[in-house]
Amino acid sequence: MTTRTSLTIVLAAGEGTRMRSSLPKVLHPVAGRPLLAHVLAAAPHGEGDKLAVVVGPDHQAVADETSRLRPDAETYVQAERLGTAHAVLAAKDAIARGADDLLIAFGDTPLISSETFARLREPLRNGSALVVLGFRAVDPTGYGRLVVEAGQLAAIREQADAGPAELAITLCNAGVMAIDGRIALEVLEQIDNANKKGEYYLTDAVGIVRKLGLTASVIETDEDEVRGINTKAQLAEAEAVMQTRLRQAAMAAGVTLISPETIHLAADTTFGKDVTIEPFVVIGPGVSIGDGAVVHSFSHIVETSLGKKTSIGPYARLRPGTSLGDGAKIGNFVETKAAQIDAGAKVNHLTYIGDAHIGAGANIGAGTITCNYDGYNKHRTEIGAGAFVGSNSSLVAPITIGVGAYIGSGSVITRNVPDDALAVERNDLSVREGWAKRFREAKARVKKPKES
Ligand code: UD1
Ligand code: CA
């Protein structure tokens, strides 16, 4: 048993070839968060641990996301896509600094946990020079097969290079590897590209370690934790696994999910106590839900904070920048964006509230629209506490409706309304007694009414 402390982590996050997308593979989201972000969150964060992320050429967006999530990380560019070992060696400078352990992971396995990363390093303490994370695949197609002889890992054979006996192996390479830092660079530099694909395979490190007379070993984990994402179909499978996990965690924390399999959560959704979520709700990133809140069916919520005892939907669409004070209520067919809606305010039907602040206890009638956009700029609407906005009003921003003010239904409001004032914008109502009856009689003399 040796003491090993220092650690370098290399994360290969260059391009995959089969996503058929202009978005870099590792920026595709699972549960509202990029694949890369999931792996970075699980990767060791110990003090002194060095993290190097290898990105593909023209992938500034991946480098930016890396520094946003882990400001301590170094990024290296792999100019050509020549294989996983070639990708890892793009971070040669980081590896050459020589930590006790080198941990290598891929940016396309978002379901991996921090416990597994920690477990992978253990055999290095007991004399292994290299440890591979393995799993039993239901369908091993596409994965590297782990060839085990006499209880030791002898080689990893990639799909393209495997013979029939090797293809039948279901123990597969998850793509995560720990190598003794003292030999890591030497081993990686011996890898060549003499294989069917002409790529530098990281997996060849196993054979090289064995040739040096050292031991390679395997630790196993569940397939669901290490699904690698090469295609859109695999992206969808990972999403399904992640959603199941998130729903179970929410229910374990006391959230009532009615028909959980129809509720879509994000990796960062937070819940208070006694929250209820009805069937068919989609929650995107950046949502926090307060104690006792109820989210009714068919609501769609992104970057929103819901206060205690709020009620949303059915059919509410809460867009980024929405925040609801305690007891506020958003009803059906209401859309909000950049809207602060204070405690007890109600926006119950068929309304758009954008770039607005609604004071506590205000009541916004059905069909109210904040006209926030003039085709060039967005403007703000301020509605005072306790104000009453009658149905089908248009509030042409920038505009302020005073505290306790009253807006007559159907008004188009273009000037500020003082506190406690009534504003009504309407033509005089004209009522002509008997007109409709006379109209019908005149028409009936020439034509029968259409059957409906
Ligand atoms: C790799 C493994 C395979 C394993 C599987 C697990 C090799 C040769 N094969 O295959 O044994 O079962 O992962 O998911 O290692 N990358 C780069 N630059 C490159 C090539 C890849 O940055 O030149 C990155 C990719 O973005 C990806 C990761 O490395 O995140 C893995 O590459 P990928 O092409 O997906 O390897 P697989 O064919 O899945
Ligand atoms: Ca892969």
Side-chain angles (χ1 to χ4, degrees):
M1 189 97 173
T2 52
T3 8
R4 315 179 62 98
T5 47
S6 61
L7 170 68
T8 297
I9 307 144
V10 175
L11 186 69
E15 197 34 9
T17 49
R18 282 160 284 173
M19 295 295 268
R20 314 210 188 285
S21 167
S22 51
L23 184 70
K25 165 156 97 169
V26 297
L27 295 186
H28 280 74
V30 162
R33 182 188 267 181
L35 303 182
L36 177 74
H38 288 282
V39 184
L40 287 179
H45 277 72
E47 207 182 314
D49 294 353
K50 297 273 183 281
L51 173 63
V53 176
V54 177
V55 306
D58 308 321
H59 278 180
Q60 189 55 40
V62 180
D64 291 347
E65 182 70 2
T66 300
S67 29
R68 199 176 67 76
L69 297 163
R70 290 284 292 265
D72 59 312
E74 296 177 321
T75 51
Y76 292 88
V77 176
Q78 181 196 20
E80 285 177 284
R81 194 182 186 283
L82 298 179
T84 47
H86 183 260
V88 171
L89 278 173
K92 182 175 167 180
D93 290 353
I95 300 165
R97 273 179 232 133
D100 293 331
D101 297 358
L102 173 67
L103 195 58
I104 297 169
F106 295 157
D108 67 351
T109 52
L111 302 163
I112 191 152
S113 72
S114 47
E115 292 74 29
T116 298
F117 273 122
R119 206 153 60 81
L120 195 73
R121 293 171 69 192
E122 277 162 23
L124 294 181
R125 280 160 191 71
N126 302 320
S128 274
L130 184 152
V131 191
V132 169
L133 183 63
F135 66 101
R136 306 266 166 197
V138 174
D139 173 10
T141 311
Y143 288 111
R145 311 297 207 278
L146 301 187
V147 182
V148 176
E149 282 166 10
Q152 285 195 15
L153 181 61
I156 306 181
R157 196 73 64 226
E158 290 304 301
Q159 170 92 19
D161 304 288
E166 289 161 340
L167 286 176
I169 297 172
T170 57
L171 183 61
C172 292
N173 174 24
V176 189
M177 192 182 272
I179 312 181
D180 182 340
R182 285 164 303 193
I183 58 152
L185 193 56
E186 179 194 342
V187 169
L188 292 168
E189 287 189 321
Q190 283 186 41
I191 294 174
D192 62 23
N193 63 351
N195 52 57
K196 285 254 171 63
K197 285 193 172 172
E199 284 189 6
Y200 295 87
Y201 288 162
L202 176 62
T203 44
D204 286 352
V206 173
I208 292 165
V209 159
R210 296 272 297 197
K211 267 198 214 117
L212 293 170
L214 301 167
T215 310
S217 50
V218 184
I219 65 154
E220 284 191 42
T221 191
D222 265 11
E223 174 160 24
D224 274 347
E225 202 194 332
V226 290
R227 287 173 185 280
I229 294 169
N230 291 341
T231 63
K232 292 284 170 79
Q234 289 168 333
L235 183 69
E237 285 166 17
E239 181 76 51
V241 172
M242 185 65 85
Q243 288 299 330
T244 303
R245 276 191 199 172
L246 292 171
R247 292 170 191 137
Q248 280 166 355
M251 291 187 282
V255 180
T256 301
L257 300 182
I258 303 173
S259 298
E261 65 286 358
T262 68
I263 297 168
H264 195 105
L265 303 172
D268 63 354
T269 311
T270 65
F271 303 96
K273 270 205 171 109
D274 297 314
V275 169
T276 298
I277 305 191
E278 290 185 355
F280 299 102
V281 165
V282 176
I283 296 177
V287 173
S288 66
I289 304 182
D291 295 352
V294 180
V295 179
H296 295 283
S297 293
F298 307 108
S299 294
H300 189 283
I301 310 174
V302 178
E303 288 173 40
T304 285
S305 110
L306 303 181
K308 293 179 183 160
K309 298 209 154 121
T310 46
S311 166
I312 308 303
Y315 297 98
R317 176 162 188 228
L318 309 190
R319 291 170 52 203
T322 298
S323 98
L324 259 58
D326 295 349
K329 189 161 182 282
I330 298 288
N332 41 221
F333 305 108
V334 171
E335 174 181 353
T336 62
K337 184 217 73 172
Q340 182 190 329
I341 297 168
D342 288 348
K346 293 192 178 73
V347 187
N348 275 340
H349 333 266
L350 301 153
T351 288
Y352 173 61
I353 301 293
D355 301 304
H357 170 216
I358 298 178
N363 185 82
I364 310 299
T368 298
I369 304 289
T370 53
C371 309
N372 60 329
Y373 186 50
D374 57 15
Y376 297 89
N377 294 301
K378 301 285 171 69
H379 303 283
R380 286 194 59 80
T381 297
E382 177 73 34
I383 299 176
F388 183 97
V389 177
S391 294
N392 204 30
S393 296
S394 301
L395 308 176
V396 182
I399 194 133
T400 299
I401 310 296
V403 171
Y406 200 103
I407 307 296
S409 295
S411 298
V412 177
I413 303 296
T414 51
R415 288 198 306 275
N416 291 347
V417 178
D419 293 355
D420 292 320
L422 165 71
V424 54
E425 185 272 351
R426 240 181 245 161
N427 287 335
D428 283 346
L429 180 67
S430 122
V431 177
R432 297 192 221 166
E433 295 279 351
W435 181 94
K437 188 161 180 265
R438 288 195 299 277
F439 172 80
R440 283 191 298 269
E441 286 165 357
K443 289 290 177 194
R445 281 195 288 276
V446 285
K447 199 176 177 199
K448 289 210 153 193
K450 265 195 173 172
E451 294 213 5
S452 59

